[in-house]
Amino acid sequence: MVDLSSYKAELGSEEIILTKKEIEMLWLFMSNPNRVFTRDNLLNKLWGYDYYGDNRSVDSHIKRLRAKLDQLPHPNWEIKTILGRRL
């Protein structure tokens, strides 16, 4: 469960302490099951078009989000990385 109005997340009955950006990212993933996002998609949706940072910051946020979520069991879903190639 993700509540964007209070920026709280729960896995089962356990509250998970996440940053604002991690909450927004988890909400986006939960709202779009089975959708693949590129780093640029995530940057635009979560940081905005005017973000001038490195797109690898997305990797860091996802890594921290996974580490926090993996502290509790969640056998029915996962955040996957889909490796692709640029054309």
Side-chain angles (χ1 to χ4, degrees):
M1 187 279 301
V2 174
D3 182 356
L4 277 182
S5 64
S6 63
Y7 281 92
K8 291 187 178 184
E10 291 181 1
L11 186 56
S13 61
E14 298 286 328
E15 183 174 353
I16 306 167
I17 305 303
L18 300 174
T19 66
K20 180 180 175 185
K21 200 57 71 182
E22 291 166 346
I23 292 274
E24 291 170 354
M25 186 175 286
L26 183 58
W27 181 86
L28 181 66
F29 292 155
M30 290 175 62
S31 300
N32 297 278
N34 301 313
R35 175 156 179 217
V36 176
F37 293 95
T38 65
R39 285 183 189 95
D40 288 338
N41 290 149
L42 293 172
L43 281 174
N44 291 335
K45 289 183 179 300
L46 299 172
W47 280 266
Y49 289 101
D50 58 349
Y51 179 75
Y52 292 108
D54 185 1
N55 69 1
R56 291 295 182 165
S57 63
V58 171
D59 298 352
S60 298
H61 279 79
I62 291 176
K63 180 180 178 180
R64 287 193 300 272
L65 177 59
R66 281 184 177 138
K68 291 176 182 181
L69 293 174
D70 286 347
Q71 293 177 5
L72 297 170
H74 53 89
N76 299 324
W77 57 271
E78 64 182 322
I79 298 172
K80 293 182 184 179
T81 297
I82 307 298
L83 300 177
R85 60 186 169 108
R86 292 185 179 216
L87 300 175

